[in-house]
Amino acid sequence: MVQLNKGKFKGRDFITLNAFTAEEISYMVDVAMELKADRNAGIPHPVLQGKVLAMIFTKSSTRTRVAFEAGIYQLGGSGMFLSARDIQLGRGEPIQDTARVLSRMVDGIMIRTFSHQEVLDLAEHSSVPVINGLSDFLHPTQILADLLTIKETKGKIQGLKLTYIGDSNNVANSLLLGGSKMGMNIVIASPQGYQPVPEIMDLAWKNASLSRSTVQIVEDPVAAARGADILYTDVWASMGQEEQSEIRKKIFAPYQINDEVLGAAHPEAIVMHCLPAHRGEEITDKVIEGPQSVVFQEAENRLHAHKAIMALVM
């Protein structure tokens, strides 16, 4: 059974990877790897026996919900799904009141929501750890699973080149923060007007200077892909941006991971996507189903990464 060194993590919120050191992130990845190995070997690890995780969802979900709900059960605890329709938060109760009430009843709170400020407000007023399952600004739990996938397939994280192609959304933001912390060379290929905000870039450049890595923004996706060890993409219009879908399809049409882009990357490059994918838009069916795709390994690793987060902070 995996042995947890919880001293640095117990009781901490998991809102952004930027709140953790490279050593701490590396340890979380290693814990996730051990938990995965234990599960595959049939070894139980009920390290959260009797613990309860409240899971607030104002955004629909497949991977986040299943990973957290199955994960807390596999760790010996229980998960409580709370949609906006089910709790008073959806009827106007202040987030700080919800935080204070839940904190007295559960051992951890996961929230997947639109507004990042809601995550921050929840954490400010909660006395138990808060996990950011996704906001409009960051998606750190996804990126921990991505780092696990990269280490599994490449044997290391530091020094690799990761090229993200498409909309600079919450996933791109968290890739910039987590990747730069871990010493990866990050290239973002996005059109003007859809590139990372200065707040994220300033943090990423600061991280990169400490980890001796590089962070770049370019507009040419093929140039960005040259020599890349990892190609990564996401949908062009995230949840809540559906009304922009048609205009985004025109703007992002050149920003597709296809044979040309894959051909520019390192011959042993892997292809990643956080899912759900719009096949034929940001990625071709041939690439996502091809031998260099690790998309479904990446999706499975959400379970193991989320278990590592819960086991450590709860």
Side-chain angles (χ1 to χ4, degrees):
M1 181 182 294
V2 62
Q3 298 296 314
L4 298 176
N5 175 14
K6 295 177 283 188
K8 290 185 177 181
F9 297 91
K10 189 175 181 181
R12 289 175 67 178
D13 297 321
F14 188 88
I15 294 174
T16 171
L17 285 171
N18 219 53
F20 298 90
T21 66
E23 292 75 19
E24 288 171 335
I25 297 170
S26 182
Y27 180 72
M28 284 188 275
V29 170
D30 288 344
V31 169
M33 290 185 78
E34 291 185 51
L35 289 170
K36 182 175 183 177
D38 280 356
R39 182 169 186 263
N40 290 341
I43 301 171
H45 32 73
V47 296
L48 294 182
Q49 191 75 41
K51 301 284 188 180
V52 178
L53 176 73
M55 305 182 299
I56 301 173
F57 284 86
T58 66
K59 265 189 172 184
S60 60
S61 169
T62 299
R63 282 148 292 276
T64 300
R65 177 176 177 180
V66 175
F68 274 109
E69 197 161 342
I72 189 70
Y73 290 141
Q74 291 174 18
L75 293 171
S78 57
M80 185 182 300
F81 175 78
L82 304 171
S83 75
R85 297 186 302 274
D86 299 324
I87 57 176
Q88 297 301 325
L89 187 63
R91 298 178 61 196
E93 181 176 57
I95 191 87
Q96 58 265 35
D97 292 359
T98 299
R100 293 186 181 109
V101 171
L102 291 180
S103 296
R104 293 167 182 254
M105 300 181 182
V106 301
D107 304 285
I109 304 170
M110 189 286 301
I111 181 168
R112 178 182 170 94
T113 189
F114 289 90
S115 169
H116 189 68
Q117 190 60 48
E118 281 192 340
V119 181
L120 298 177
D121 291 344
L122 185 69
E124 180 182 353
H125 296 282
S126 171
S127 59
V128 298
V130 169
I131 300 169
N132 177 9
L134 176 144
S135 71
D136 59 359
F137 191 54
L138 296 174
H139 198 357
T141 55
Q142 171 68 55
I143 274 55
L144 191 66
D146 296 338
L147 294 173
L148 169 59
T149 308
I150 291 165
K151 186 168 184 180
E152 281 182 333
T153 55
K154 293 296 184 181
K156 65 176 184 177
I157 297 173
Q158 188 174 16
L160 296 176
K161 177 181 177 180
L162 184 149
T163 295
Y164 175 93
I165 296 173
D167 183 32
S168 295
N169 56 15
N170 48 8
V171 171
N173 287 345
S174 285
L175 278 171
L176 279 164
L177 298 180
S180 60
K181 278 268 182 178
M182 297 299 289
M184 298 180 74
N185 300 308
I186 310 292
V187 181
I188 303 291
S190 299
Q192 286 286 341
Y194 297 89
Q195 296 176 347
V197 296
E199 176 186 348
I200 289 293
M201 292 307 303
D202 288 345
L203 292 171
W205 280 321
K206 182 179 179 181
N207 292 343
S209 68
L210 295 173
S211 66
R212 298 183 179 181
S213 59
T214 59
V215 174
Q216 296 176 278
I217 304 175
V218 300
E219 291 186 52
D220 184 341
V222 176
R226 287 196 185 105
D229 300 291
I230 303 111
L231 294 177
Y232 199 120
T233 192
D234 191 9
V235 294
W236 294 335
S238 300
M239 278 186 285
Q241 298 175 332
E242 288 81 5
E243 75 283 353
Q244 302 175 29
S245 179
E246 291 307 311
I247 190 169
R248 282 172 172 261
K249 284 180 183 179
K250 295 176 183 177
I251 293 170
F252 283 99
Y255 293 84
Q256 180 188 71
I257 296 186
N258 50 33
D259 286 347
E260 181 186 9
V261 171
L262 184 58
H266 189 282
E268 296 181 2
I270 59 172
V271 177
M272 305 181 74
H273 192 306
C274 57
L275 299 180
H278 292 169
R279 298 181 182 217
E281 293 183 14
E282 74 276 1
I283 191 168
T284 63
D285 194 73
K286 181 180 178 182
V287 170
I288 202 171
E289 294 290 354
Q292 290 170 266
S293 171
V294 295
V295 167
F296 297 102
Q297 177 182 344
E298 177 187 7
E300 179 199 339
N301 282 341
R302 295 286 297 278
L303 170 67
H304 312 298
H306 297 6
K307 286 167 69 175
I309 296 165
M310 291 185 287
L312 289 166
V313 304
M314 289 174 63

